[in-house]
Amino acid sequence: MGFRFDLFLLSVAILWAPSLSDLVISKVDRRIDLTSQIVRISATLKVENVGPDPVLEVLLPFPDHQAKNFAYLAAATNEGKGKSKGPATSLPIEVVQPNEMPPALTWYSVSLPKGLGKGESLTLDVLAVFTHALRPFPEKISQAENQLVAFQESAHYLSPYIVKVQLLSVKLPPDFKPESYTKLEKSELSGSEIKYGPYENLPPFSYSPIIVHFGNNQPFAVAQELLREIEISHWGNVQVTEHYNLIHGGSQIKGEFSRLDYQARPHVGGASAFRHLVANLPPRAHSVYYRDEIGNISTSNLWGDSKKTQLEIEPRYPMFGGWRTSFTIGYGLPLKDFLFQSEGKRFLNISFGSPIRDLVIDNLIVKVVLPEGSKDVSVSAPFSVKQWHETKFSHLDIDGRPVVVLEKTNVVQEHSQYFQVYYKFNNVSLLREPLMLIFGFFFMFIACIVYVHADLTISKSSASYVAKLQWDEGILRCHYFQVKTAIQQVQNIINRCLTVHDRLDATLRDLSRTGDVQACKVARKAADSLLKDLSKELKPLLAFLHSSPQAAQILLKVEDLVAKEHELQEKLMLKHSTVVEGYEKKSGGREMENRVALIQQKLIALRQEVDDLLEVIDEI
C-alpha cells in the first residue's frame, strides 16, 4: 500500500508540471545496481541546447520518496571524444526550487563549467546513491528463509526535458532470480539483469512505475551511530578510534533462534545473517584492536602490506535482522602520511567515512582532536557537513585541546573522501609537556630533600622535644640490649654445640680402648638429637638479628660463626662414621689412620676458626 500511495501522489503532481524546452536529452543510459543494501543509480546523459540562449545549468528532479533516502549525488562531464577524451570534471550541485514546479519533486541544479550555447551538446555522468531504498518484503522471516526485498523506480527517466532515446538496466544479486518484476513493453530478463527500453521520443516528466521483488542476502549492516575520533600527536602518531552502534537493517527474524541449526548448516540456517565485516584501513596502520563492552574480541583477522591494511571482524554472534551490537575499532597511523604544511599552516588530510565496506551510517560524527596550543582552525570538506568546536582535556593539559566536530547523516562509501583540517601550531609548544614533567619531578625531589633534612620542631628546649629525645634514646637502648642478649644466647648455643662435639670425640677414644661399637653408635644418636634441638633454638635468634638495624655491624660475624660451626659438625660426623665403619669392617689400621688423620687436620683448623670468631664477637 505504501508503494501505491507514493506512486499516486507522484503521478498527480507530474500531470500538471510544465516543461523546460531549452534543453533536449538526446540519449539517457541508466544503470541501477541492487547487488547490495545500497542502491546506486548511474546515468549517462547526452544533453543538447535547442534554444536560442546559452544554458548554465541542468535540472535533475527526484521524487520525494526517493529524495528522503538520498545519500550522495555527483555529476561530472568529460571533454573530447574517444581517445582524446579528457579527465572527468566534477560539477557543483545544489538544491533548488524552480518556479511553477510540483512540490512532490526535489530538484537539484548541476552548474555547467561554461554556458552551453545554441546547438552545442555535452555528456553528463550522474551518480545517485540511496540508502534504505530496499524495503524488506516480507518484513519478518524465519531463520532458514532467504531475505526478500522490493525496489520502486520508474522505467522512464524522470526529467523536465524531452528525452529522445533512453535505456534502463537493473542489476540484481547473481544468486537469486527475481520473485517478480513489472513487465512493460520492451522489457526482458537476462540472467541477473532486467532491461527496459529503448524508449524513444518521450515527453517531459514521463513516468512509468516499476517494482522489482527479489532475494538479497547481502549484509544489511547499518550503523545507527558512528563516532570517529582522530587524535593528532606531533610526536609521530595519528590515533583513530571508531565506536559503532550497529543493527541488521533487513528482514527481522521471527520465532526462536536455533544455534544448532545455525552451526550445522550456517548457509541454510542463517542465510539472511551476516557473520563478518571487512574494513579497509589505511596503509601502514598499526596497533589495531577490536573490542566491545565486555573486552577484547579475538575473532578477527588482519592482513597488510605497503598498499593496504585489511581487517576482518566477526561479532560475538551472527547478526540477524533487527539484531544489534556495539563495538570499537582502533588503530594508529604514521603522522607523516597524513599531516602536511602549506602557507604557514599545518593540515590534516584524512578520509571522512567508515573503512567498513557497504556500511550505511545513519549518523556519523567525526571528531578531530588537535594538539594543545593549536589556533586558527578551519575545515575544508568535499561536501556539506554540520560542524562546531569543542575542547578536550587530557593528561598534562592546561588550556585543553581544540576539537573540530563534523556531523553528517546518511553516509555511504562514496563519502570516504579526503577532508582537510587546517591549523597553526608553534613548535615550542611541543616542549610544554616534557618540561612540565621535568620540573615536576625536580621540585618533588627538592621537596623530599628539604623535608628529610629540615628540623620542623618548634623549640629544642621544649619539654615535649626533650621527652621525645629521651623516649627515642630509651627505645634505642632497649634495642641494643635486645641485640646483645640475642648474641649472647647465640654464643651460648655455639658453646653447647662445641661441648657436644667434645663428648662425641671422646667416645671415639673410648672405642679405640674398649672396641665397643654399639656404645659409640648410641652416643652418636644422642649427639645428633642434641645438635638438632640446638639448631632449632638458633633459628629465631638469627631471624631477630636480621630484622634489627642495630645488629647490622655484627650480623656478618654471627652468620660466619654459625656457618663454621655447621661445617665443623659435618667434619666431626664424617670422622665418627669413618672410625666406626673401620671397626665394623675390621679395616687395616694404617689405612684407617690415614683417612682419619686428614679429617682431623680439617677439624683442628675449623675449631680454631670457631674459637677466634667467638673471641671477636666478645670484643665487639
Side-chain angles (χ1 to χ4, degrees), residues 484-503:
K484 182 179 178 181
T485 302
I487 292 174
Q488 289 175 348
Q489 291 177 354
V490 170
Q491 288 177 301
N492 184 35
I493 292 173
I494 296 298
N495 287 323
R496 291 163 63 187
C497 290
L498 295 178
T499 301
V500 174
H501 296 173
D502 294 338
R503 291 177 183 175

Side-chain angles (χ1 to χ4, degrees), residues 179-468:
E179 297 290 318
S180 64
Y181 67 95
T182 303
K183 298 180 180 179
L184 302 175
E185 183 182 359
K186 298 182 181 180
S187 64
E188 64 171 338
L189 174 64
S190 176
S192 60
E193 190 174 7
I194 304 173
K195 296 182 179 180
Y196 291 92
Y199 301 112
E200 301 178 352
N201 298 321
L202 294 178
F205 296 103
S206 293
Y207 193 84
S208 179
I210 59 171
I211 297 177
V212 182
H213 188 210
F214 61 98
N216 189 340
N217 284 334
Q218 294 299 313
F220 275 47
V222 178
Q224 293 182 316
E225 184 177 64
L226 168 58
L227 174 60
R228 297 188 75 212
E229 186 172 271
I230 305 168
E231 186 168 353
I232 302 173
S233 171
H234 283 170
W235 295 101
N237 188 59
V238 177
Q239 183 63 37
V240 181
T241 307
E242 302 175 350
H243 305 278
Y244 291 83
N245 289 326
L246 205 68
I247 187 174
H248 188 309
S251 299
Q252 297 184 14
I253 183 174
K254 63 181 179 181
E256 295 183 353
F257 168 66
S258 172
R259 171 65 70 173
L260 179 62
D261 293 345
Y262 177 78
Q263 292 291 115
R265 297 182 300 169
H267 296 289
V268 177
S272 63
F274 63 84
R275 286 162 286 276
H276 64 270
L277 298 170
V278 177
N280 293 321
L281 306 182
R284 301 206 294 168
H286 59 86
S287 305
V288 181
Y289 63 85
Y290 164 48
R291 64 170 182 250
D292 59 9
E293 294 179 352
I294 300 176
N296 184 58
I297 305 175
S298 60
T299 52
S300 61
N301 296 295
L302 184 69
W303 301 273
D305 53 31
S306 59
K307 296 182 179 179
K308 65 179 180 179
T309 303
Q310 191 175 81
L311 174 65
E312 182 184 76
I313 60 177
E314 183 177 342
R316 295 186 183 273
Y317 45 84
M319 292 292 293
F320 285 90
W323 288 18
R324 302 170 185 270
T325 186
S326 299
F327 58 87
T328 299
I329 296 175
Y331 50 92
L333 301 172
L335 182 69
K336 63 180 181 180
D337 292 350
F338 298 91
L339 191 67
F340 309 93
Q341 289 189 355
S342 175
E343 298 178 355
K345 279 191 172 185
R346 303 170 191 252
F347 68 92
L348 175 73
N349 187 43
I350 198 167
S351 60
F352 181 79
S354 168
I356 297 180
R357 298 177 186 172
D358 292 328
L359 176 69
V360 172
I361 308 171
D362 289 342
N363 188 47
L364 171 62
I365 298 177
V366 178
K367 293 186 176 182
V368 181
V369 184
L370 303 176
E372 188 179 22
S374 302
K375 55 185 179 180
D376 295 341
V377 181
S378 61
V379 178
S380 175
F383 36 76
S384 61
V385 292
K386 182 182 178 181
Q387 61 175 286
W388 65 92
H389 296 270
E390 295 178 352
T391 301
K392 178 182 179 180
F393 286 89
S394 184
H395 51 277
L396 299 180
D397 287 345
I398 298 176
D399 301 324
R401 306 185 183 189
V403 181
V404 178
V405 185
L406 308 177
E407 183 177 12
K408 188 171 181 60
T409 58
N410 232 17
V411 177
V412 291
Q413 193 170 347
E414 280 73 11
H415 289 112
S416 294
Q417 302 179 32
Y418 284 88
F419 72 100
Q420 296 77 37
V421 178
Y422 294 86
Y423 63 97
K424 288 183 178 181
F425 185 80
N426 191 340
N427 287 331
V428 177
S429 299
L430 280 173
L431 303 176
R432 177 185 298 180
E433 293 183 358
L435 290 176
M436 288 176 62
L437 287 173
I438 293 171
F439 283 108
F441 280 108
F442 175 76
F443 287 120
M444 183 185 71
F445 291 142
I446 293 296
C448 291
I449 293 172
V450 171
Y451 176 77
V452 170
H453 290 81
D455 188 357
L456 303 179
T457 57
I458 298 176
S459 174
K460 293 187 178 181
S461 60
S462 63
S464 60
Y465 181 74
V466 173
K468 183 179 183 302

Side-chain angles (χ1 to χ4, degrees), residues 11 29 42 62 134 148 163 179 261 266 287 310 318 333 375 414 417 464 579-580 584-585 614:
S11 300
D29 186 6
S42 56
F62 292 91
L134 300 181
L148 301 178
V163 181
E179 297 290 318
D261 293 345
S287 305
Q310 191 175 81
L333 301 172
K375 55 185 179 180
E414 280 73 11
Q417 302 179 32
S464 60
V579 173
V580 171
E584 287 181 334
K585 294 182 178 180
L614 286 171

Side-chain angles (χ1 to χ4, degrees), residues 519-531:
C520 197
K521 287 184 177 181
V522 171
R524 167 70 180 271
K525 186 175 181 180
D528 286 340
S529 178
L530 285 173
L531 292 173

